[in-house]
Amino acid sequence: MGWVRFAPSPTGLLHVGNARAALLNALYARRYGAQFLLRIDDTDRARSDAAFVEALKADLTWMGLSWERLVFQSERLERYAQAAECLRATGRLYPCYETPEELALQRKTLQTQGKPPIYNRRALALSEDERRALESQGRPAHWRFRLHENPVCWNDGIYGKKVFEGAYASDPVLIRADGVPVYTLASVVDDWELGITQVIRGADHLANTAVQLQILEALDPKAPSALSWAHYPLFRMRSGEELSKRTGSMSLQSLREEGIHPLALCSFLAKLGTSEALAPHASLEDLAAGFALSNMSLAEAQFDPDDLRRLNRHLWPILPVASVASDIPPSDFPFSADFWKAIRGNIETLQDVGYWQRVCYGLLPPGADEEPAFREACLLCTQRAPEAIGEVSAWQAFVQDLSQKTGRKGRALFHPLRLLLTGRDTGPELWVLVALMGRERMLQRLAR
Ligand code: GLU
């Protein structure tokens, strides 16, 4: 039991990196019977957009994920204010007045001295009068959390024992000068109050965890023991391209438009960064059954979109026909189990289904008639073939007849025949297509 959460900020379209965070949490939930909280991290009102909330819900639904609870951080500001009050009361949250320019200058000075750019805590030494003077000059306070210097450790579900020694970071700002709580505070207050038991997120949050553990402990000394943490190493795009919500690169929407099936994406993302082989899975249950945090490796993984496309191709043969039937682009042509079985090994995406439907049941634009004599021979042999030309013995007889008539065999016979009948030089087994197409359509096509 327990809860996991996926916490996107609605500032752009979900990309494959976000999708991986959602999926790993969802698989964990299915595997261990936890519940899934969708938390919208929208405290930054200027960058958050309700349209992105709708888009991300649609993306998660497309992936086959669902949530037991939906929470907006913008509706919990009161709670963060209360937590801040509590930290103020114990002296862990203190007001600071430096401007961004002053802070940048301080960092630069430290760097030129070869020191880490850690905040100097000068604001802690301000007297009450000095603070009042600054405020009367119109300088609003931002609030920093005072870190203690004891080592922070936790047993990470993926990294194992993690230790952050003291004085490793600046006291983080938890409340901005405009009064808005930042992610670091809001997130940990939510994890604590909403009963999250397992946090699974990228290794880019390791340092946040060290800080958030301190905040948690300051809020309630018992709180840290209720939460487990797991951080997975991020992946790099093979192309070197950066994932960006803003540019929409590698967004779920673009993959969907490209014809990637959600189960191909989930099968791919579930194994990315593990030592397990990539293989298509026909359901999330199936993926969840093999899920374990301990499968994740600590090496940085590489995301190659071509691997995803290959997995997509390998998915079709294992999908039940009924689930495909509801996903294919609408068409007036029939879609049967036999038809699907014939073509499923030869398509990249479901967009390709329409082409093979036209081959089997419709009209094809006439291709170049490069070998009129060969076409004539095919026409003649088809005319003499029985109605059920696609049945094994009839097909063999037809091929033999055509071979005798043209003096060709093997590829020299099948390749031009395939081109005449399907308009392509590769595809499903020809006799299987012919069985679906029937002799009449074959005649029409050969007659041009
Ligand atoms: N909104 C945060 C992000 O997208 C959530 C991180 C977390 O899982 O705590 O990075």
Side-chain angles (χ1 to χ4, degrees):
M1 276 312 274
W3 283 85
V4 292
R5 86 305 195 270
F6 172 55
S9 18
T11 55
L13 293 174
L14 289 192
H15 54 56
V16 288
N18 311 124
R20 185 179 183 216
L23 179 71
L24 296 179
N25 279 284
L27 293 180
Y28 179 96
R30 278 176 198 242
R31 173 84 168 80
Y32 302 107
Q35 290 180 288
F36 186 99
L37 169 81
L38 174 59
R39 187 183 86 202
I40 307 295
D41 285 3
D42 58 350
T43 51
D44 187 343
R45 299 310 284 162
R47 291 174 60 232
S48 299
D49 186 333
F52 289 131
V53 175
E54 289 316 306
L56 74 86
K57 288 204 249 170
D59 281 342
L60 295 176
T61 305
W62 173 73
M63 285 174 74
L65 308 188
S66 54
W67 44 94
E68 274 77 35
R69 190 170 175 193
L70 170 66
V71 166
F72 290 83
Q73 286 197 325
S74 56
E75 292 170 6
R76 292 181 40 82
L77 297 176
E78 187 78 4
R79 292 302 308 128
Y80 313 137
Q82 281 165 9
E85 217 25 70
C86 176
L87 295 174
R88 272 187 203 106
T90 52
R92 294 298 291 275
L93 198 63
Y94 62 96
C96 304
Y97 300 89
E98 293 89 346
T99 62
E101 295 73 29
E102 285 165 353
L103 289 170
L105 188 66
Q106 276 178 24
R107 277 196 298 273
K108 210 155 162 202
T109 313
L110 287 167
Q111 267 161 344
T112 51
Q113 293 167 356
K115 295 186 186 150
I118 289 181
Y119 175 62
N120 62 21
R121 290 184 166 165
R122 205 151 288 161
L124 266 180
L126 292 173
S127 68
E128 195 58 42
D129 285 348
E130 285 168 319
R131 280 185 209 158
R132 230 174 279 128
L134 284 163
E135 273 165 29
S136 66
Q137 287 164 25
R139 285 215 194 186
H142 56 273
W143 295 78
R144 285 186 191 262
F145 178 71
R146 185 178 178 161
L147 293 170
H148 65 58
E149 290 179 4
N150 309 330
V152 176
C153 10
W154 73 93
N155 192 11
D156 195 276
I158 293 169
Y159 276 81
K161 187 165 182 197
K162 243 4 245 174
V163 182
F164 277 73
E165 294 299 339
Y168 53 85
S170 292
D171 288 346
V173 175
L174 297 191
I175 307 286
R176 296 193 322 209
D178 59 6
V180 175
V182 304
Y183 154 79
T184 323
L185 175 67
S187 179
V188 78
V189 168
D190 287 342
D191 288 340
W192 175 45
E193 290 192 354
L194 303 177
I196 302 302
T197 48
Q198 174 71 60
V199 172
I200 304 171
R201 60 184 178 183
D204 51 334
H205 286 289
L206 279 166
N208 278 338
T209 298
V211 168
Q212 287 175 326
L213 269 169
Q214 287 208 25
I215 300 174
L216 260 186
E217 197 174 21
L219 289 169
D220 175 358
K222 290 198 296 290
S225 63
L227 246 181
S228 299
W229 307 81
H231 299 79
Y232 51 83
L234 300 184
F235 61 79
R236 207 157 36 86
M237 292 304 292
R238 177 162 214 134
S239 58
E241 164 194 13
E242 290 285 326
L243 292 178
S244 150
K245 278 191 179 174
R246 200 176 37 78
T247 62
S249 82
M250 292 310 283
S251 68
L252 268 62
Q253 217 162 77
S254 68
L255 293 176
R256 181 158 63 228
E257 278 157 21
E258 188 189 320
I260 299 293
H261 192 280
L263 281 169
L265 179 67
C266 292
S267 299
F268 183 83
L269 291 175
K271 303 292 160 162
L272 185 66
T274 73
S275 53
E276 289 172 87
L278 278 184
H281 289 260
S283 70
L284 291 178
E285 283 66 37
D286 200 18
L287 274 174
F291 177 82
L293 289 172
S294 57
N295 289 345
M296 302 296 296
S297 95
L298 292 187
E300 183 190 63
Q302 234 186 41
F303 187 122
D304 184 344
D306 286 338
D307 289 340
L308 172 59
R309 292 183 189 115
R310 197 167 317 116
L311 195 63
N312 200 49
R313 280 201 295 277
H314 292 160
L315 177 74
W316 306 124
I318 65 165
L319 286 188
V321 62
S323 84
V324 181
S326 56
D327 281 351
I328 56 166
S331 154
D332 292 334
F333 296 124
F335 181 85
S336 64
D338 280 346
F339 167 78
W340 174 239
K341 222 155 100 194
I343 66 150
R344 64 190 179 183
N346 287 273
I347 56 168
E348 295 279 327
T349 73
L350 291 185
Q351 304 299 331
D352 298 338
V353 170
Y355 184 82
W356 296 109
Q357 281 177 312
R358 270 195 302 147
V359 167
C360 295
Y361 308 116
L363 292 174
L364 279 185
D369 195 2
E370 277 161 16
E371 299 186 78
F374 180 78
R375 189 175 55 78
E376 286 298 328
C378 291
L379 186 60
L380 189 75
C381 295
T382 308
Q383 275 159 351
R384 340 200 246 240
E387 197 52 46
I389 185 171
E391 279 175 13
V392 182
S393 57
W395 176 251
Q396 279 167 352
F398 163 77
V399 170
Q400 205 169 14
D401 189 19
L402 186 61
S403 176
Q404 256 157 24
K405 180 121 195 69
T406 59
R408 301 183 188 210
K409 40 183 200 223
R411 190 178 148 76
L413 182 147
F414 286 109
H415 185 249
L417 180 60
R418 175 179 287 284
L419 275 175
L420 282 171
L421 293 179
T422 73
R424 289 202 178 160
D425 59 7
T426 56
E429 290 245 50
L430 209 44
W431 68 269
V432 176
L433 291 177
V434 164
L436 291 163
M437 185 182 305
R439 183 159 156 278
E440 261 334 284
R441 181 155 291 108
M442 204 175 149
L443 285 172
Q444 280 166 11
R445 199 156 291 165
L446 292 168
R448 296 282 146 111

